[in-house]
């Protein structure tokens, strides 16, 4: 009968690869977040004189 | 003979003009002057003792702690914070983003003064300061030493920054022909400057590669040069935002209307770049942490201190920049810039002083004289900056 032997993720540096993928995804999300049309300046809108 | 007479006459008229310009303008009794003048005087007195009695008379430096507050703050931090000059030159002259053209002169001036004063402060810190010229004149230096590269680069980069700023000086002195000639040199100087900066920003970090046993493993890594280079980008950008916001208020009468209006857009653009760079820097830190298997250090006082630096002054300002850009919150950007600057200062102090010889029983604490002299260097730099911007056309008049 065959047994599974699990590898240690710390020893294989598997965690480093997972981190790399996570940061790649987060980096794309950050750039998308920063590139989206800016929200209007709420404080500037408040300063507008009332007509 | 005739040419000599013309030159002498020209020199005389320039000296007369220069002496005229040296006269102070504006109010004397300002809060900044009240604080800075006594500090500068006290600093000069301390420097007198430093040069007559030696380093030991005014500093807490020792053979065990050869790098003190002067090196840690002035050279390591000052050079990183001056990184804005090469970043903005790259953005304007290489990427051709003309939006930032109006801040080139003031950023280059800041960079030039930072290098002159902060790397110049090395003279104070060397036991035998007259040896500072050795790497340049070829007397007893190692070709393969990182310090050899750094010292040559500092010198060359100061010359390059001076060339970049020289058209403004020529304009102020009414040397029109020379100004045209110097303007023609700008692009070449910028390209050399960017190359030099990338190399010596990382070179400053590379000096610590030889101190592996002395630096705490959380801060030591073979990628220190890369970390120093990347952190110098957002440190420079944060410094431009921080200084620019102060200059925008203090020297508002010297800034043109168009630049006044574009200030917010420039700050938002710089903050966006800072957010992305800080994210990349944080990724490098996390990756180095994982790759170096440094988990065992994290649940210790040194680990908590490391987390304060990395999360408190890298990750949080990064998110603050991103949030502020998205919501156009300039106040948040200024706070994030101040936090990012403090983070870089803390990082350099950690590597150079705090986590250096971390196992030693006797710790190094800077003496009050070291702090006063550092403040003196900063204040003198601000005085020279103020003198230049109130006389030369540094801020865009458009």
């Amino acid at each position: 009968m065959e047994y599974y032997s699990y590898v240690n993720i710390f020893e294989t540096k598997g965690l480093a690869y997972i981190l790399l993928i996570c940061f790649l995804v987060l980096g794309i999300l950050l750039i998308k977040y920063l590139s989206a049309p800016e929200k209007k300046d709420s404080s500037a809108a408040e300063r507008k004189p009332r007509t | 003979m005739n040419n000599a007479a013309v030159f002498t006459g020209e020199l005389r008229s320039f000296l007369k003009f220069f002496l005229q310009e040296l006269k102070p303008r504006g109010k004397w009794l300002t809060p900044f002057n009240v604080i800075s003048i006594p500090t500068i005087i006290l600093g000069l007195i301390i420097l007198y003792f430093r040069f007559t009695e030696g380093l030991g008379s005014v500093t807490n430096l020792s053979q065990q702690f050869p790098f003190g507050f002067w090196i840690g703050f002035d050279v390591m931090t000052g050079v990183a914070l001056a990184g804005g000059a090469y970043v903005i030159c790259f953005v304007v002259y290489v990427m051709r983003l003309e939006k930032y053209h109006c801040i080139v002169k003031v950023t280059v001036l800041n960079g030039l003064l930072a290098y002159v004063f902060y790397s110049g402060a090395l003279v104070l810190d060397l036991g035998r300061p007259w040896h500072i010229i050795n790497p340049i004149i070829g007397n007893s230096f190692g070709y393969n030493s990182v310090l050899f590269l750094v010292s040559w680069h500092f010198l060359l980069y100061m010359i390059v920054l001076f060339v970049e700023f020289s058209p403004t000086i020529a304009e102020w002195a009414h040397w029109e022909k020379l100004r045209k000639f110097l303007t023609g040199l700008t692009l070449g100087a910028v390209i050399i400057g960017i190359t030099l900066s990338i190399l010596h920003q990382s070179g400053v970090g590379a000096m610590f590669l030889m101190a592996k046993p002395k630096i705490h493993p959380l801060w030591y890594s073979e990628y220190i040069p890369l970390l120093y280079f990347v952190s110098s980008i957002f440190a420079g950008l944060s410094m431009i935002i921080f200084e620019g916001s102060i200059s925008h208020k203090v020297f508002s009468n010297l800034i043109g209307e168009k630049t006044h209006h574009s200030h917010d857009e420039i700050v938002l653009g710089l903050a966006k770049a800072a957010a992305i760079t800080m994210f990349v820097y944080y990724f490098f830190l996390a990756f180095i942490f994982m790759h170096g298997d440094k988990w065992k250090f994290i649940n210790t006082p040194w680990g908590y201190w490391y987390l304060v630096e990395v999360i408190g002054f890298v990750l949080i300002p990064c998110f603050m920049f991103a949030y502020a850009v998205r919501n156009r919150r300039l106040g948040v950007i200024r706070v994030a810039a101040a936090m990012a600057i403090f983070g870089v200062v803390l990082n350099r102090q950690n590597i150079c002083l705090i986590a250096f010889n971390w196992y030693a029983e006797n710790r190094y604490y800077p003496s009050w004289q070291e702090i006063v002299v550092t403040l003196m260097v900063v204040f003198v730099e601000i005085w020279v900056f103020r003198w230049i911007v109130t006389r030369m056309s540094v801020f865009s008049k458009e």
Side-chain angles (χ1 to χ4, degrees), chain B residues 161 173 177 188 248 271 300 302 318 353 369 375:
Chain B
L161 283 174
K177 276 185 185 173
H248 195 71
T300 64
W302 284 107
C318 169
L353 306 176
Q369 292 100 321
L375 284 174

Side-chain angles (χ1 to χ4, degrees), chain B residues 54-81:
Chain B
L55 276 173
S57 61
V58 293
T59 69
N60 284 342
L61 295 173
S62 62
Q63 293 295 343
Q64 198 180 8
F65 289 97
F67 279 10
F69 193 59
W70 289 346
I71 289 276
F73 188 84
D74 293 344
V75 184
M76 298 296 165
T77 311
V79 166
L81 297 178

Side-chain angles (χ1 to χ4, degrees), chain B residues 18-74:
Chain B
F18 184 68
L19 289 173
Q20 193 70 26
E21 289 284 87
L22 275 182
K23 285 180 185 170
R25 291 176 189 173
K27 281 192 289 182
W28 261 99
L29 209 64
T30 61
F32 174 72
N33 287 358
V34 168
I35 298 166
S36 64
I37 292 172
T39 312
I40 292 170
I41 294 168
L42 186 60
L44 289 172
I45 295 167
I46 294 167
L47 283 185
Y48 170 78
F49 286 105
R50 180 259 169 270
F51 283 111
T52 53
E53 310 284 325
L55 276 173
S57 61
V58 293
T59 69
N60 284 342
L61 295 173
S62 62
Q63 293 295 343
Q64 198 180 8
F65 289 97
F67 279 10
F69 193 59
W70 289 346
I71 289 276
F73 188 84
D74 293 344

Side-chain angles (χ1 to χ4, degrees), chain A residues 21-33:
Chain A
I21 295 162
C22 288
F23 266 91
L24 192 66
V25 173
L26 284 172
I28 293 165
L29 289 176
L30 178 72
I31 290 169
K32 277 189 83 173
Y33 176 74

Side-chain angles (χ1 to χ4, degrees), chain B residues 348-381:
Chain B
R348 300 306 194 257
Q349 300 305 310
N350 277 334
I351 292 174
C352 198
L353 306 176
I354 300 168
F356 196 84
N357 279 334
W358 55 284
Y359 43 80
E361 282 179 18
N362 297 323
R363 304 290 309 159
Y364 161 84
Y365 297 100
S367 66
W368 67 268
Q369 292 100 321
E370 286 175 78
I371 294 167
V372 170
V373 170
T374 299
L375 284 174
M376 184 202 84
V377 173
V378 175
F379 284 145
V380 172
E381 192 215 340

Side-chain angles (χ1 to χ4, degrees), chain B residues 301-318:
Chain B
W302 284 107
Y304 306 145
W305 184 236
Y306 177 77
L307 290 177
V308 167
E309 181 199 311
V310 171
I311 293 176
F313 297 101
V314 180
L315 194 61
I316 292 175
C318 169

